[in-house]
């Protein structure tokens, strides 16, 4: 499975591609940040993010795009920008027929570090170790994007089994 992880943001949108399956060593195929100028109009910034995401989708052709689920923050302006960047990533994937999965920050932290309360340094250190990198990806947005991809690869088998069980239970309920 090849997953493009997206850590959404208007100024820095982290992107990272990881390939592999749960239970086997994972491989990083690419990591980076789509940047937009903080003083540009929001529409122009969203177009810049769209172009950047489209380049990553074109180059790496992922099977799935994993995006950080936007959660409520005290700064409404920050959460709005994050939500807008997140929507652009989802739109780009949907346009190409690529499934999208959303993961909360605590799910991602728990998946890669064992603790949903891990800090950025701990996430970066574990991403470095799990992908056998020489150094943590910089900035932290890039490491977070890789962590999203890792999280999805590891969580997908369990989520699929759960969905199948729910569907089986629902179909048995209708047949009786």
């Amino acid at each position: 499975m090849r997953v493009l992880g997206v850590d959404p943001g208007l100024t820095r949108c982290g992107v990272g591609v990881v390939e592999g399956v749960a239970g086997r060593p994972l491989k990083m195929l690419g990591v980076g940040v789509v940047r937009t100028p903080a003083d540009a109009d929001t529409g122009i910034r969203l177009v810049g993010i769209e172009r950047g995401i489209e380049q990553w989708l074109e180059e790496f052709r992922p099977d799935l795009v994993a995006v950080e689920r936007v959660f409520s923050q005290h700064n409404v302006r920050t959460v709005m920008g994050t939500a807008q960047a997140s929507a652009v990533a989802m739109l780009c994937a949907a346009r190409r027929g690529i499934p999208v999965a959303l993961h909360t920050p605590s799910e991602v932290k728990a998946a890669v570090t064992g603790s949903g309360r891990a800090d950025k340094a701990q996430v970066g250190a574990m991403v470095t170790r799990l992908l056998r990198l020489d150094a943590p990806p910089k900035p932290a947005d890039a490491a977070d994007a890789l962590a999203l991809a890792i999280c999805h690869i590891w969580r997908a088998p369990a989520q699929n089994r759960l969905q199948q069980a729910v569907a089986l239970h629902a179909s048995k309920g209708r047949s009786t």
Side-chain angles (χ1 to χ4, degrees):
M1 172 181 279
R2 183 178 288 189
V3 177
L4 170 64
V6 179
D7 181 38
L10 272 181
T11 304
R12 289 182 320 272
C13 184
V15 287
V17 181
V18 176
E19 189 170 66
V21 294
R24 299 263 169 93
L26 302 174
K27 181 179 179 182
M28 180 189 77
L29 301 180
V31 65
V33 177
V34 176
R35 297 178 187 272
T36 65
D39 59 351
D41 288 338
T42 302
I44 300 298
R45 296 174 80 184
L46 293 173
V47 169
I49 292 168
E50 177 194 27
R51 287 181 181 147
I53 298 289
E54 287 290 348
Q55 288 174 346
W56 281 81
L57 293 172
E58 185 64 30
E59 181 176 350
F60 292 100
R61 306 219 179 259
D63 301 308
L64 184 131
V65 175
V67 180
E68 183 176 279
R69 182 182 301 272
V70 178
F71 63 97
S72 178
Q73 296 176 342
H74 297 294
N75 187 339
V76 174
R77 197 163 165 224
T78 300
V79 79
M80 285 300 296
T82 303
Q84 290 165 334
S86 177
V88 168
M90 291 187 282
L91 173 69
C92 290
R95 187 184 291 140
R96 291 171 177 257
I98 301 170
V100 174
L102 301 174
H103 298 284
T104 66
S106 59
E107 287 172 343
V108 175
K109 292 173 184 180
V112 298
T113 71
S115 170
R117 295 176 178 236
D119 63 24
K120 293 239 181 230
Q122 291 170 306
V123 171
M126 284 307 296
V127 165
T128 302
R129 175 187 259 173
L130 294 169
L131 297 175
R132 297 169 312 283
L133 305 174
D134 294 332
K138 301 283 185 194
D141 309 276
D144 289 348
L146 291 171
L148 275 151
I150 292 167
C151 172
H152 185 78
I153 290 169
W154 285 356
R155 290 175 56 102
Q159 288 174 329
N160 290 343
R161 284 192 300 276
L162 181 60
Q163 289 170 348
Q164 289 169 353
V166 168
L168 180 63
H169 180 72
S171 68
K172 285 183 179 181
R174 284 189 293 245
S175 63
T176 57

